[in-house]
Amino acid sequence: MKKEFWIKKDRTKDEPDNWKKMSSYEFARFMETADGKSRKENIARVPGGESGEPIIYMEVDSQTAKEWKRENNRACYLQKTMNALGIEVISYNVSPNTEDWEVNGEALLENPDCHVEDDVLRSILTENMLDAMCHLSEIEQEVITRLYLLDDPMTEHEFEKAFGVKRCTVHYYKVSALEKLRKMLSENV
């Protein structure tokens, strides 16, 4: 994936012609300089972007950089979690490659007897759960994912063997994470 780096020529000015576009190589060399090192905290990936488009990094103010980094970290975590859980997002605005054939969302549903309301509620609960999971520590996220969210969940004993973490420690993280999730989810209801 191609990357573009947009750095201000003069960091004190916010003018349209004050930008310098750099390649990955040029950016790496720039970051080795004292000026580059002093600007490091203000360079962040622009959130979003379509697949196939270049990944763009820009120099912005420190608050915007923190927000963009937080947003990108959350998107990355959600994608990682959805991949681990086998969740696939299907757009209702899909046109297959077959010419002159349009598909509406109902044609994409595998089960014609499904209940849309139940699916929407499940989706909302899943979204709330994933949002709440972002507030857990990395080990708590791993414990909850492995013990509850996989198709073939582990037991505490299996987690202990697989990761070399004592069972009582696994249990502690599980109880701690479940309590945090209960509090966060009860606030969302």
Side-chain angles (χ1 to χ4, degrees):
M1 182 68 58
K2 184 179 176 189
K3 295 181 181 178
E4 293 179 5
F5 299 87
W6 291 86
I7 307 300
K8 292 180 179 179
K9 294 175 187 174
D10 181 350
R11 65 197 301 182
T12 62
K13 296 180 182 176
D14 283 326
E15 298 173 4
D17 62 345
N18 189 34
W19 293 98
K20 178 177 181 177
K21 180 180 174 184
M22 295 182 174
S23 67
S24 296
Y25 178 80
E26 291 170 324
F27 180 74
R29 300 291 74 80
F30 172 72
M31 292 308 291
E32 291 174 351
T33 67
D35 189 27
K37 290 176 184 175
S38 70
R39 297 183 186 199
K40 181 179 180 180
E41 295 302 317
N42 290 8
I43 298 171
R45 179 179 174 175
V46 177
E50 298 295 321
S51 117
E53 291 182 1
I55 298 171
I56 300 173
Y57 290 82
M58 288 183 72
E59 181 176 8
V60 292
D61 62 86
S62 62
Q63 182 62 31
T64 302
K66 286 178 186 177
E67 289 172 13
W68 285 4
K69 288 174 183 177
R70 192 176 311 118
E71 188 175 331
N72 285 321
N73 288 341
R74 182 176 187 280
C76 183
Y77 169 75
L78 290 176
Q79 186 61 48
K80 178 181 162 186
T81 303
M82 287 175 26
N83 290 344
L85 297 175
I87 297 172
E88 182 180 353
V89 177
I90 300 174
S91 172
Y92 279 94
N93 300 318
V94 172
S95 291
N97 292 337
T98 309
E99 292 182 16
D100 300 325
W101 188 62
E102 290 190 19
V103 176
N104 63 22
E106 292 177 13
L108 294 174
L109 296 175
E110 292 181 19
N111 182 359
D113 298 326
C114 81
H115 301 283
V116 175
E117 295 86 1
D118 292 341
D119 291 345
V120 169
L121 280 174
R122 188 175 303 108
S123 174
I124 291 169
L125 291 172
T126 301
E127 185 177 324
N128 287 344
M129 177 66 143
L130 291 175
D131 285 343
M133 290 272 294
C134 287
H135 297 286
L136 299 178
S137 69
E138 192 173 322
I139 184 70
E140 289 171 332
Q141 290 175 11
E142 190 70 27
V143 167
I144 293 299
T145 300
R146 299 281 180 168
L147 298 184
Y148 294 102
L149 302 178
L150 297 179
D151 289 336
D152 185 23
M154 294 179 151
T155 64
E156 290 179 14
H157 184 68
E158 291 169 334
F159 192 96
E160 173 187 27
K161 285 183 178 178
F163 294 97
V165 178
K166 292 190 178 205
R167 195 165 165 189
C168 61
T169 305
V170 174
H171 182 75
Y172 168 80
Y173 283 122
K174 178 184 86 170
V175 170
S176 172
L178 289 174
E179 181 61 25
K180 288 178 186 177
L181 289 173
R182 185 189 64 75
K183 285 180 182 176
M184 285 184 271
L185 292 174
S186 65
E187 291 172 2
N188 287 340
V189 174

